[in-house]
Amino acid sequence: MTIRDILKMGDARLLRIAEPVRAFDTPELHQLLADMRETMAAVNGAGLAAPQIGVNSQVVIFGGTARNPRYPDRPLVPPTVLINPVITPLGTEEELDWEGCLSVPGLRGKVPRWSRIRYAGVDERGQAIDRTVNGFHARVVQHECDHLIGKLYPMRVRDFSQFGFTEVLFPEISAAEDD
Ligand code: NI
C-alpha cells in the first residue's frame, strides 16, 4: 500500500470523464483500492475518488467506522467501494450544506445536492450495490461521483458568500485538521 499524492484543483486530470471499470477482482483493482484507502485514511477523508490520485477510472470509496474529525457532527456512512456508479435523484428536493474536498484544501462551501437518491453500481468483486439514501450519505455519494465527471464542488456553489477558508468558517475543525 502506498499513500498517493492527491491532485489539487487546477490540475486538468481532475476535469476528465473517468472510464468504466471492466475487470473485477484483479490485483490491479485491489492495489488501487488499497492505495485509495491508505491515502484517504492519512488525511481523514470522508471519501476519495480515483481521479483524485490521477487514476481515470470510475472508482470511489467513502465512509468509515469511526467519526471523521473533518466532519465531527455528521452521521456515520458505511465504508463502501463503489464502481461504475449511477445516481438517480428521488424527487426534486435539494439540501444546502457545507462541503470540503481533499483536492480543494483549506476551503469549505455550501453546496446544493439532491436530498434523496438511489445509487447503484458494483463493488471490487463486481457484486451489485443498490441503495436508497438521504442526507449526509447522499451528499457524500454525489460529491465523490462528481469527481468521475470532472466536477469539483466549487463548480456547484451558487452563493459565493457561503464559500471560504475552513480556518475562518470552522476554527474548531481547522485546529485539528490541516485541509
Ligand atoms: Ni472531493
mmCIF file of all heavy atoms in Angstrom, residues 52-99:
data_model
loop_
_atom_site.group_PDB
_atom_site.id
_atom_site.type_symbol
_atom_site.label_atom_id
_atom_site.label_comp_id
_atom_site.label_asym_id
_atom_site.label_seq_id
_atom_site.Cartn_x
_atom_site.Cartn_y
_atom_site.Cartn_z
ATOM 1 N N GLN A 52 -8.756 11.591 -8.164
ATOM 2 C CA GLN A 52 -8.008 12.468 -7.253
ATOM 3 C C GLN A 52 -6.565 12.001 -7.051
ATOM 4 O O GLN A 52 -5.732 12.791 -6.592
ATOM 5 C CB GLN A 52 -8.716 12.569 -5.896
ATOM 6 C CG GLN A 52 -10.028 13.334 -5.963
ATOM 7 C CD GLN A 52 -10.668 13.430 -4.597
ATOM 8 O OE1 GLN A 52 -11.352 12.515 -4.165
ATOM 9 N NE2 GLN A 52 -10.434 14.529 -3.902
ATOM 10 N N ILE A 53 -6.288 10.733 -7.336
ATOM 11 C CA ILE A 53 -4.894 10.283 -7.304
ATOM 12 C C ILE A 53 -4.385 10.017 -8.725
ATOM 13 O O ILE A 53 -3.415 9.299 -8.928
ATOM 14 C CB ILE A 53 -4.684 9.061 -6.380
ATOM 15 C CG1 ILE A 53 -5.546 7.869 -6.797
ATOM 16 C CG2 ILE A 53 -4.962 9.443 -4.924
ATOM 17 C CD1 ILE A 53 -5.136 6.553 -6.100
ATOM 18 N N GLY A 54 -5.071 10.591 -9.699
ATOM 19 C CA GLY A 54 -4.591 10.559 -11.074
ATOM 20 C C GLY A 54 -4.969 9.323 -11.859
ATOM 21 O O GLY A 54 -4.449 9.105 -12.950
ATOM 22 N N VAL A 55 -5.880 8.503 -11.297
ATOM 23 C CA VAL A 55 -6.318 7.281 -11.982
ATOM 24 C C VAL A 55 -7.706 7.539 -12.560
ATOM 25 O O VAL A 55 -8.665 7.778 -11.820
ATOM 26 C CB VAL A 55 -6.351 6.087 -10.998
ATOM 27 C CG1 VAL A 55 -6.904 4.850 -11.689
ATOM 28 C CG2 VAL A 55 -4.948 5.834 -10.448
ATOM 29 N N ASN A 56 -7.801 7.499 -13.890
ATOM 30 C CA ASN A 56 -9.029 7.947 -14.546
ATOM 31 C C ASN A 56 -10.049 6.817 -14.684
ATOM 32 O O ASN A 56 -10.484 6.472 -15.784
ATOM 33 C CB ASN A 56 -8.686 8.524 -15.922
ATOM 34 C CG ASN A 56 -9.813 9.373 -16.460
ATOM 35 O OD1 ASN A 56 -10.478 10.069 -15.704
ATOM 36 N ND2 ASN A 56 -10.021 9.304 -17.767
ATOM 37 N N SER A 57 -10.432 6.242 -13.544
ATOM 38 C CA SER A 57 -11.370 5.124 -13.513
ATOM 39 C C SER A 57 -12.553 5.468 -12.626
ATOM 40 O O SER A 57 -12.416 6.222 -11.656
ATOM 41 C CB SER A 57 -10.703 3.872 -12.931
ATOM 42 O OG SER A 57 -9.675 3.423 -13.765
ATOM 43 N N GLN A 58 -13.685 4.861 -12.947
ATOM 44 C CA GLN A 58 -14.920 5.120 -12.178
ATOM 45 C C GLN A 58 -14.919 4.313 -10.885
ATOM 46 O O GLN A 58 -15.657 3.334 -10.736
ATOM 47 C CB GLN A 58 -16.151 4.785 -13.023
ATOM 48 C CG GLN A 58 -16.361 5.746 -14.184
ATOM 49 C CD GLN A 58 -17.613 5.405 -14.979
ATOM 50 O OE1 GLN A 58 -18.529 4.761 -14.477
ATOM 51 N NE2 GLN A 58 -17.655 5.842 -16.237
ATOM 52 N N VAL A 59 -14.076 4.756 -9.960
ATOM 53 C CA VAL A 59 -13.924 4.094 -8.665
ATOM 54 C C VAL A 59 -13.948 5.161 -7.584
ATOM 55 O O VAL A 59 -13.165 6.121 -7.645
ATOM 56 C CB VAL A 59 -12.578 3.340 -8.576
ATOM 57 C CG1 VAL A 59 -12.413 2.699 -7.199
ATOM 58 C CG2 VAL A 59 -12.466 2.289 -9.670
ATOM 59 N N VAL A 60 -14.842 5.001 -6.610
ATOM 60 C CA VAL A 60 -14.839 5.886 -5.443
ATOM 61 C C VAL A 60 -14.920 5.031 -4.183
ATOM 62 O O VAL A 60 -15.441 3.905 -4.201
ATOM 63 C CB VAL A 60 -15.996 6.918 -5.449
ATOM 64 C CG1 VAL A 60 -15.966 7.758 -6.714
ATOM 65 C CG2 VAL A 60 -17.355 6.256 -5.289
ATOM 66 N N ILE A 61 -14.396 5.578 -3.098
ATOM 67 C CA ILE A 61 -14.584 4.981 -1.782
ATOM 68 C C ILE A 61 -15.097 6.079 -0.861
ATOM 69 O O ILE A 61 -14.813 7.269 -1.073
ATOM 70 C CB ILE A 61 -13.297 4.345 -1.207
ATOM 71 C CG1 ILE A 61 -12.191 5.391 -1.018
ATOM 72 C CG2 ILE A 61 -12.815 3.224 -2.110
ATOM 73 C CD1 ILE A 61 -10.952 4.837 -0.298
ATOM 74 N N PHE A 62 -15.865 5.687 0.129
ATOM 75 C CA PHE A 62 -16.341 6.666 1.099
ATOM 76 C C PHE A 62 -16.795 5.935 2.356
ATOM 77 O O PHE A 62 -16.958 4.714 2.375
ATOM 78 C CB PHE A 62 -17.481 7.533 0.532
ATOM 79 C CG PHE A 62 -18.623 6.765 -0.059
ATOM 80 C CD1 PHE A 62 -19.640 6.254 0.735
ATOM 81 C CD2 PHE A 62 -18.687 6.528 -1.426
ATOM 82 C CE1 PHE A 62 -20.702 5.537 0.201
ATOM 83 C CE2 PHE A 62 -19.731 5.802 -1.980
ATOM 84 C CZ PHE A 62 -20.736 5.311 -1.165
ATOM 85 N N GLY A 63 -16.996 6.731 3.408
ATOM 86 C CA GLY A 63 -17.499 6.191 4.663
ATOM 87 C C GLY A 63 -16.399 5.670 5.558
ATOM 88 O O GLY A 63 -15.212 5.715 5.215
ATOM 89 N N GLY A 64 -16.810 5.189 6.717
ATOM 90 C CA GLY A 64 -15.853 4.674 7.682
ATOM 91 C C GLY A 64 -16.585 4.172 8.914
ATOM 92 O O GLY A 64 -17.803 4.293 9.024
ATOM 93 N N THR A 65 -15.824 3.620 9.839
ATOM 94 C CA THR A 65 -16.411 3.022 11.036
ATOM 95 C C THR A 65 -16.265 3.912 12.261
ATOM 96 O O THR A 65 -16.743 3.578 13.333
ATOM 97 C CB THR A 65 -15.758 1.660 11.337
ATOM 98 O OG1 THR A 65 -14.351 1.858 11.403
ATOM 99 C CG2 THR A 65 -16.069 0.660 10.248
ATOM 100 N N ALA A 66 -15.622 5.061 12.095
ATOM 101 C CA ALA A 66 -15.468 5.991 13.223
ATOM 102 C C ALA A 66 -15.799 7.397 12.741
ATOM 103 O O ALA A 66 -15.771 7.678 11.547
ATOM 104 C CB ALA A 66 -14.038 5.948 13.752
ATOM 105 N N ARG A 67 -16.134 8.248 13.681
ATOM 106 C CA ARG A 67 -16.448 9.639 13.339
ATOM 107 C C ARG A 67 -15.244 10.291 12.670
ATOM 108 O O ARG A 67 -14.107 10.076 13.059
ATOM 109 C CB ARG A 67 -16.797 10.424 14.592
ATOM 110 C CG ARG A 67 -18.066 9.938 15.210
ATOM 111 C CD ARG A 67 -19.118 11.049 15.282
ATOM 112 N NE ARG A 67 -20.360 10.469 15.780
ATOM 113 C CZ ARG A 67 -21.424 10.213 15.022
ATOM 114 N NH1 ARG A 67 -21.446 10.562 13.764
ATOM 115 N NH2 ARG A 67 -22.489 9.649 15.528
ATOM 116 N N ASN A 68 -15.549 11.109 11.686
ATOM 117 C CA ASN A 68 -14.487 11.773 10.930
ATOM 118 C C ASN A 68 -14.175 13.130 11.564
ATOM 119 O O ASN A 68 -15.058 13.969 11.677
ATOM 120 C CB ASN A 68 -14.968 11.952 9.485
ATOM 121 C CG ASN A 68 -13.865 12.473 8.597
ATOM 122 O OD1 ASN A 68 -13.143 13.381 8.967
ATOM 123 N ND2 ASN A 68 -13.724 11.885 7.442
ATOM 124 N N PRO A 69 -12.915 13.379 11.969
ATOM 125 C CA PRO A 69 -12.600 14.658 12.613
ATOM 126 C C PRO A 69 -12.785 15.873 11.698
ATOM 127 O O PRO A 69 -12.942 16.989 12.192
ATOM 128 C CB PRO A 69 -11.126 14.510 13.031
ATOM 129 C CG PRO A 69 -10.595 13.355 12.256
ATOM 130 C CD PRO A 69 -11.768 12.468 11.921
ATOM 131 N N ARG A 70 -12.827 15.638 10.381
ATOM 132 C CA ARG A 70 -13.083 16.768 9.481
ATOM 133 C C ARG A 70 -14.582 17.080 9.416
ATOM 134 O O ARG A 70 -14.956 18.175 8.998
ATOM 135 C CB ARG A 70 -12.548 16.481 8.071
ATOM 136 C CG ARG A 70 -11.023 16.484 8.011
ATOM 137 C CD ARG A 70 -10.486 16.097 6.635
ATOM 138 N NE ARG A 70 -10.806 17.087 5.635
ATOM 139 C CZ ARG A 70 -11.522 16.840 4.542
ATOM 140 N NH1 ARG A 70 -12.028 15.639 4.326
ATOM 141 N NH2 ARG A 70 -11.745 17.802 3.668
ATOM 142 N N TYR A 71 -15.417 16.102 9.787
ATOM 143 C CA TYR A 71 -16.877 16.303 9.777
ATOM 144 C C TYR A 71 -17.439 15.719 11.072
ATOM 145 O O TYR A 71 -18.198 14.743 11.049
ATOM 146 C CB TYR A 71 -17.498 15.617 8.549
ATOM 147 C CG TYR A 71 -16.993 16.203 7.252
ATOM 148 C CD1 TYR A 71 -15.909 15.651 6.588
ATOM 149 C CD2 TYR A 71 -17.584 17.353 6.707
ATOM 150 C CE1 TYR A 71 -15.420 16.210 5.415
ATOM 151 C CE2 TYR A 71 -17.113 17.908 5.543
ATOM 152 C CZ TYR A 71 -16.030 17.331 4.895
ATOM 153 O OH TYR A 71 -15.560 17.893 3.739
ATOM 154 N N PRO A 72 -17.066 16.309 12.217
ATOM 155 C CA PRO A 72 -17.328 15.658 13.509
ATOM 156 C C PRO A 72 -18.799 15.525 13.867
ATOM 157 O O PRO A 72 -19.160 14.653 14.662
ATOM 158 C CB PRO A 72 -16.593 16.560 14.519
ATOM 159 C CG PRO A 72 -16.397 17.868 13.825
ATOM 160 C CD PRO A 72 -16.320 17.567 12.365
ATOM 161 N N ASP A 73 -19.653 16.360 13.290
ATOM 162 C CA ASP A 73 -21.073 16.320 13.686
ATOM 163 C C ASP A 73 -21.928 15.544 12.691
ATOM 164 O O ASP A 73 -23.153 15.580 12.766
ATOM 165 C CB ASP A 73 -21.598 17.760 13.832
ATOM 166 C CG ASP A 73 -21.440 18.565 12.557
ATOM 167 O OD1 ASP A 73 -20.659 18.134 11.670
ATOM 168 O OD2 ASP A 73 -22.078 19.617 12.430
ATOM 169 N N ARG A 74 -21.302 14.833 11.750
ATOM 170 C CA ARG A 74 -22.075 14.140 10.724
ATOM 171 C C ARG A 74 -22.264 12.672 11.070
ATOM 172 O O ARG A 74 -21.420 12.079 11.734
ATOM 173 C CB ARG A 74 -21.377 14.255 9.362
ATOM 174 C CG ARG A 74 -21.120 15.685 8.941
ATOM 175 C CD ARG A 74 -22.414 16.486 8.862
ATOM 176 N NE ARG A 74 -22.135 17.903 8.689
ATOM 177 C CZ ARG A 74 -21.854 18.475 7.530
ATOM 178 N NH1 ARG A 74 -21.784 17.753 6.447
ATOM 179 N NH2 ARG A 74 -21.626 19.763 7.465
ATOM 180 N N PRO A 75 -23.382 12.090 10.583
ATOM 181 C CA PRO A 75 -23.606 10.665 10.867
ATOM 182 C C PRO A 75 -22.597 9.775 10.153
ATOM 183 O O PRO A 75 -22.002 10.173 9.145
ATOM 184 C CB PRO A 75 -25.023 10.431 10.328
ATOM 185 C CG PRO A 75 -25.275 11.534 9.368
ATOM 186 C CD PRO A 75 -24.440 12.705 9.784
ATOM 187 N N LEU A 76 -22.454 8.566 10.664
ATOM 188 C CA LEU A 76 -21.570 7.588 10.033
ATOM 189 C C LEU A 76 -22.169 7.106 8.716
ATOM 190 O O LEU A 76 -23.374 6.900 8.612
ATOM 191 C CB LEU A 76 -21.384 6.382 10.953
ATOM 192 C CG LEU A 76 -20.423 6.558 12.127
ATOM 193 C CD1 LEU A 76 -20.410 5.278 12.970
ATOM 194 C CD2 LEU A 76 -19.025 6.888 11.645
ATOM 195 N N VAL A 77 -21.305 6.939 7.753
ATOM 196 C CA VAL A 77 -21.685 6.352 6.462
ATOM 197 C C VAL A 77 -20.920 5.033 6.367
ATOM 198 O O VAL A 77 -19.727 4.997 6.670
ATOM 199 C CB VAL A 77 -21.289 7.303 5.312
ATOM 200 C CG1 VAL A 77 -21.534 6.658 3.964
ATOM 201 C CG2 VAL A 77 -22.040 8.631 5.429
ATOM 202 N N PRO A 78 -21.587 3.929 5.994
ATOM 203 C CA PRO A 78 -20.871 2.640 5.961
ATOM 204 C C PRO A 78 -19.711 2.669 4.970
ATOM 205 O O PRO A 78 -19.839 3.269 3.890
ATOM 206 C CB PRO A 78 -21.946 1.641 5.520
ATOM 207 C CG PRO A 78 -23.038 2.453 4.916
ATOM 208 C CD PRO A 78 -22.986 3.813 5.564
ATOM 209 N N PRO A 79 -18.588 2.044 5.328
ATOM 210 C CA PRO A 79 -17.454 2.025 4.395
ATOM 211 C C PRO A 79 -17.841 1.316 3.106
ATOM 212 O O PRO A 79 -18.328 0.188 3.150
ATOM 213 C CB PRO A 79 -16.356 1.276 5.153
ATOM 214 C CG PRO A 79 -16.984 0.675 6.353
ATOM 215 C CD PRO A 79 -18.316 1.320 6.577
ATOM 216 N N THR A 80 -17.656 1.978 2.005
ATOM 217 C CA THR A 80 -18.184 1.500 0.724
ATOM 218 C C THR A 80 -17.161 1.680 -0.390
ATOM 219 O O THR A 80 -16.493 2.713 -0.465
ATOM 220 C CB THR A 80 -19.469 2.295 0.363
ATOM 221 O OG1 THR A 80 -20.426 2.138 1.399
ATOM 222 C CG2 THR A 80 -20.060 1.830 -0.959
ATOM 223 N N VAL A 81 -17.060 0.665 -1.226
ATOM 224 C CA VAL A 81 -16.364 0.766 -2.508
ATOM 225 C C VAL A 81 -17.447 0.793 -3.569
ATOM 226 O O VAL A 81 -18.274 -0.119 -3.629
ATOM 227 C CB VAL A 81 -15.446 -0.447 -2.752
ATOM 228 C CG1 VAL A 81 -14.901 -0.445 -4.173
ATOM 229 C CG2 VAL A 81 -14.322 -0.495 -1.722
ATOM 230 N N LEU A 82 -17.456 1.840 -4.387
ATOM 231 C CA LEU A 82 -18.495 1.972 -5.413
ATOM 232 C C LEU A 82 -17.824 2.197 -6.760
ATOM 233 O O LEU A 82 -17.054 3.149 -6.932
ATOM 234 C CB LEU A 82 -19.421 3.148 -5.052
ATOM 235 C CG LEU A 82 -20.576 3.421 -6.010
ATOM 236 C CD1 LEU A 82 -21.549 2.245 -6.074
ATOM 237 C CD2 LEU A 82 -21.320 4.701 -5.589
ATOM 238 N N ILE A 83 -18.138 1.305 -7.693
ATOM 239 C CA ILE A 83 -17.507 1.308 -9.015
ATOM 240 C C ILE A 83 -18.602 1.421 -10.071
ATOM 241 O O ILE A 83 -19.684 0.845 -9.920
ATOM 242 C CB ILE A 83 -16.676 0.017 -9.188
ATOM 243 C CG1 ILE A 83 -15.552 -0.005 -8.129
ATOM 244 C CG2 ILE A 83 -16.110 -0.102 -10.595
ATOM 245 C CD1 ILE A 83 -14.761 -1.297 -8.089
ATOM 246 N N ASN A 84 -18.313 2.157 -11.129
ATOM 247 C CA ASN A 84 -19.265 2.377 -12.227
ATOM 248 C C ASN A 84 -20.627 2.851 -11.712
ATOM 249 O O ASN A 84 -21.673 2.285 -12.068
ATOM 250 C CB ASN A 84 -19.440 1.112 -13.068
ATOM 251 C CG ASN A 84 -18.135 0.622 -13.671
ATOM 252 O OD1 ASN A 84 -17.137 1.343 -13.694
ATOM 253 N ND2 ASN A 84 -18.123 -0.598 -14.161
ATOM 254 N N PRO A 85 -20.648 3.883 -10.888
ATOM 255 C CA PRO A 85 -21.901 4.271 -10.240
ATOM 256 C C PRO A 85 -22.894 4.958 -11.171
ATOM 257 O O PRO A 85 -22.500 5.617 -12.134
ATOM 258 C CB PRO A 85 -21.442 5.245 -9.150
ATOM 259 C CG PRO A 85 -20.190 5.838 -9.684
ATOM 260 C CD PRO A 85 -19.514 4.730 -10.465
ATOM 261 N N VAL A 86 -24.156 4.769 -10.830
ATOM 262 C CA VAL A 86 -25.248 5.515 -11.458
ATOM 263 C C VAL A 86 -26.095 6.089 -10.330
ATOM 264 O O VAL A 86 -26.528 5.355 -9.438
ATOM 265 C CB VAL A 86 -26.124 4.601 -12.336
ATOM 266 C CG1 VAL A 86 -27.305 5.385 -12.912
ATOM 267 C CG2 VAL A 86 -25.299 3.984 -13.455
ATOM 268 N N ILE A 87 -26.292 7.398 -10.354
ATOM 269 C CA ILE A 87 -27.087 8.073 -9.325
ATOM 270 C C ILE A 87 -28.403 8.524 -9.941
ATOM 271 O O ILE A 87 -28.416 9.132 -11.006
ATOM 272 C CB ILE A 87 -26.327 9.304 -8.769
ATOM 273 C CG1 ILE A 87 -25.082 8.849 -8.009
ATOM 274 C CG2 ILE A 87 -27.235 10.139 -7.869
ATOM 275 C CD1 ILE A 87 -24.248 9.999 -7.483
ATOM 276 N N THR A 88 -29.483 8.232 -9.236
ATOM 277 C CA THR A 88 -30.804 8.699 -9.664
ATOM 278 C C THR A 88 -31.400 9.532 -8.539
ATOM 279 O O THR A 88 -31.591 9.012 -7.429
ATOM 280 C CB THR A 88 -31.735 7.501 -9.941
ATOM 281 O OG1 THR A 88 -31.073 6.605 -10.831
ATOM 282 C CG2 THR A 88 -33.043 7.966 -10.559
ATOM 283 N N PRO A 89 -31.683 10.816 -8.784
ATOM 284 C CA PRO A 89 -32.359 11.595 -7.744
ATOM 285 C C PRO A 89 -33.775 11.093 -7.543
ATOM 286 O O PRO A 89 -34.445 10.725 -8.515
ATOM 287 C CB PRO A 89 -32.349 13.033 -8.290
ATOM 288 C CG PRO A 89 -31.983 12.943 -9.720
ATOM 289 C CD PRO A 89 -31.407 11.587 -9.992
ATOM 290 N N LEU A 90 -34.212 11.060 -6.278
ATOM 291 C CA LEU A 90 -35.585 10.663 -5.965
ATOM 292 C C LEU A 90 -36.306 11.915 -5.503
ATOM 293 O O LEU A 90 -36.040 12.430 -4.425
ATOM 294 C CB LEU A 90 -35.594 9.582 -4.886
ATOM 295 C CG LEU A 90 -34.877 8.281 -5.265
ATOM 296 C CD1 LEU A 90 -34.847 7.310 -4.103
ATOM 297 C CD2 LEU A 90 -35.516 7.634 -6.485
ATOM 298 N N GLY A 91 -37.166 12.416 -6.339
ATOM 299 C CA GLY A 91 -37.824 13.679 -6.034
ATOM 300 C C GLY A 91 -36.970 14.850 -6.491
ATOM 301 O O GLY A 91 -35.904 14.667 -7.087
ATOM 302 N N THR A 92 -37.462 16.040 -6.209
ATOM 303 C CA THR A 92 -36.778 17.258 -6.672
ATOM 304 C C THR A 92 -36.212 18.071 -5.520
ATOM 305 O O THR A 92 -35.655 19.139 -5.737
ATOM 306 C CB THR A 92 -37.766 18.151 -7.455
ATOM 307 O OG1 THR A 92 -38.892 18.421 -6.610
ATOM 308 C CG2 THR A 92 -38.244 17.468 -8.726
ATOM 309 N N GLU A 93 -36.343 17.551 -4.299
ATOM 310 C CA GLU A 93 -35.893 18.320 -3.143
ATOM 311 C C GLU A 93 -34.365 18.382 -3.086
ATOM 312 O O GLU A 93 -33.683 17.374 -3.322
ATOM 313 C CB GLU A 93 -36.426 17.656 -1.867
ATOM 314 C CG GLU A 93 -36.245 18.509 -0.628
ATOM 315 C CD GLU A 93 -36.668 17.752 0.640
ATOM 316 O OE1 GLU A 93 -37.577 16.912 0.559
ATOM 317 O OE2 GLU A 93 -36.055 18.012 1.675
ATOM 318 N N GLU A 94 -33.865 19.573 -2.784
ATOM 319 C CA GLU A 94 -32.423 19.770 -2.603
ATOM 320 C C GLU A 94 -32.141 20.178 -1.168
ATOM 321 O O GLU A 94 -32.999 20.731 -0.493
ATOM 322 C CB GLU A 94 -31.910 20.895 -3.511
ATOM 323 C CG GLU A 94 -31.948 20.581 -4.978
ATOM 324 C CD GLU A 94 -31.408 21.750 -5.811
ATOM 325 O OE1 GLU A 94 -31.204 22.860 -5.250
ATOM 326 O OE2 GLU A 94 -31.199 21.555 -7.002
ATOM 327 N N GLU A 95 -30.897 19.927 -0.743
ATOM 328 C CA GLU A 95 -30.415 20.407 0.556
ATOM 329 C C GLU A 95 -29.136 21.176 0.325
ATOM 330 O O GLU A 95 -28.325 20.815 -0.526
ATOM 331 C CB GLU A 95 -30.088 19.228 1.483
ATOM 332 C CG GLU A 95 -31.272 18.635 2.180
ATOM 333 C CD GLU A 95 -30.922 17.337 2.896
ATOM 334 O OE1 GLU A 95 -29.764 17.146 3.304
ATOM 335 O OE2 GLU A 95 -31.846 16.510 3.013
ATOM 336 N N LEU A 96 -28.974 22.222 1.139
ATOM 337 C CA LEU A 96 -27.764 23.039 1.060
ATOM 338 C C LEU A 96 -26.946 22.762 2.312
ATOM 339 O O LEU A 96 -27.453 22.893 3.424
ATOM 340 C CB LEU A 96 -28.205 24.505 1.012
ATOM 341 C CG LEU A 96 -27.239 25.565 0.547
ATOM 342 C CD1 LEU A 96 -26.726 25.280 -0.852
ATOM 343 C CD2 LEU A 96 -27.932 26.925 0.597
ATOM 344 N N ASP A 97 -25.693 22.361 2.129
ATOM 345 C CA ASP A 97 -24.859 22.130 3.315
ATOM 346 C C ASP A 97 -23.389 22.299 2.938
ATOM 347 O O ASP A 97 -23.035 22.322 1.760
ATOM 348 C CB ASP A 97 -25.124 20.734 3.891
ATOM 349 C CG ASP A 97 -24.838 20.661 5.400
ATOM 350 O OD1 ASP A 97 -24.261 21.623 5.959
ATOM 351 O OD2 ASP A 97 -25.178 19.630 6.002
ATOM 352 N N TRP A 98 -22.564 22.388 3.978
ATOM 353 C CA TRP A 98 -21.137 22.631 3.780
ATOM 354 C C TRP A 98 -20.429 21.403 3.259
ATOM 355 O O TRP A 98 -20.718 20.288 3.698
ATOM 356 C CB TRP A 98 -20.492 23.060 5.101
ATOM 357 C CG TRP A 98 -20.983 24.378 5.589
ATOM 358 C CD1 TRP A 98 -21.933 24.593 6.541
ATOM 359 C CD2 TRP A 98 -20.565 25.666 5.126
ATOM 360 N NE1 TRP A 98 -22.125 25.951 6.698
ATOM 361 C CE2 TRP A 98 -21.308 26.631 5.858
ATOM 362 C CE3 TRP A 98 -19.647 26.103 4.177
ATOM 363 C CZ2 TRP A 98 -21.150 28.009 5.657
ATOM 364 C CZ3 TRP A 98 -19.495 27.469 3.978
ATOM 365 C CH2 TRP A 98 -20.234 28.402 4.711
ATOM 366 N N GLU A 99 -19.497 21.619 2.349
ATOM 367 C CA GLU A 99 -18.622 20.556 1.860
ATOM 368 C C GLU A 99 -17.189 21.058 1.807
ATOM 369 O O GLU A 99 -16.938 22.256 1.644
ATOM 370 C CB GLU A 99 -19.034 20.107 0.444
ATOM 371 C CG GLU A 99 -20.375 19.421 0.415
ATOM 372 C CD GLU A 99 -20.727 18.842 -0.950
ATOM 373 O OE1 GLU A 99 -19.828 18.680 -1.808
ATOM 374 O OE2 GLU A 99 -21.916 18.565 -1.146
#
